[in-house]
């Protein structure tokens, strides 16, 4: 049984669709795997509010940023905000800030 559902905001969906089919498939497989098991190598907490789905494929590091929406009574939801191809060792803080900004917009629109 899955631990949560994932929805993709426009930027996350566009990022994934722009990738080649094999990379896209690997990312979706990892997200599906993260729904079933707890594994920091796949779904990692970056700060109090922002997480990342992590995929390494063909020597390329893909990151899909996300946050939790636990406002629904029944379903636990993870909202994917956007994605990057990671080039450095440390996750760029501007990407975490962007995810945070998209999180605030999401909850503002949800009201």
């Amino acid at each position: 049984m899955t631990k949560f559902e994932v929805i993709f905001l426009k930027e996350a969906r566009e990022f994934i669709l722009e990738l080649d089919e094999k990379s896209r498939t690997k990312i979706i497989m990892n997200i599906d795997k993260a729904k079933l098991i707890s594994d920091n190598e796949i779904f990692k907490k970056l700060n109090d509010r922002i997480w990342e789905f992590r995929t390494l494929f063909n020597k390329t590091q893909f990151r899909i940023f996300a946050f939790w929406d636990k406002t629904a009574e029944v379903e636990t939801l993870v909202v994917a905000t956007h994605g990057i191809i990671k080039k450095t060792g440390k996750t760029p803080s501007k990407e975490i800030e962007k995810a945070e900004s998209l999180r605030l917009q999401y909850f503002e629109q949800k009201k």
Side-chain angles (χ1 to χ4, degrees):
M1 183 163 150
T2 60
K3 297 178 180 198
F4 54 84
E5 288 301 313
V6 178
I7 62 168
F8 297 86
L9 297 182
K10 184 174 183 263
E11 277 194 57
R13 199 170 33 253
E14 288 173 352
F15 172 78
I16 291 171
L17 289 173
E18 287 171 4
L19 299 172
D20 66 272
E21 188 179 345
K22 287 183 178 180
S23 298
R24 191 168 48 239
T25 300
K26 181 69 172 171
I27 289 169
I28 298 302
M29 281 175 43
N30 266 1
I31 290 172
D32 287 344
K33 188 175 177 184
K35 293 181 200 176
L36 299 170
I37 62 165
S38 296
D39 184 347
N40 253 4
E41 291 300 310
I42 299 173
F43 191 46
K44 182 179 178 184
K45 187 174 186 175
L46 297 176
N47 66 25
D48 287 345
R49 296 171 297 276
I50 304 302
W51 292 63
E52 68 181 357
F53 289 103
R54 304 157 53 99
T55 301
L56 173 61
F57 181 68
N58 275 351
K59 299 180 184 166
T60 304
Q61 296 272 358
F62 298 96
R63 297 292 186 264
I64 307 292
F65 296 89
F67 60 87
W68 293 85
D69 177 355
K70 296 182 180 178
T71 55
E73 291 290 319
V74 182
E75 192 176 280
T76 302
L77 194 60
V78 172
V79 181
T81 59
H82 70 292
I84 63 167
I85 293 175
K86 195 167 141 218
K87 306 223 186 303
T88 62
K90 194 166 192 250
T91 301
S93 57
K94 71 176 182 144
E95 299 298 342
I96 297 170
E97 290 163 15
K98 180 176 181 176
E100 181 62 35
S101 172
L102 290 165
R103 186 185 82 82
L104 294 172
Q105 284 176 30
Y106 169 86
F107 284 114
E108 193 58 40
Q109 289 173 354
K110 195 173 174 184
K111 283 183 185 173

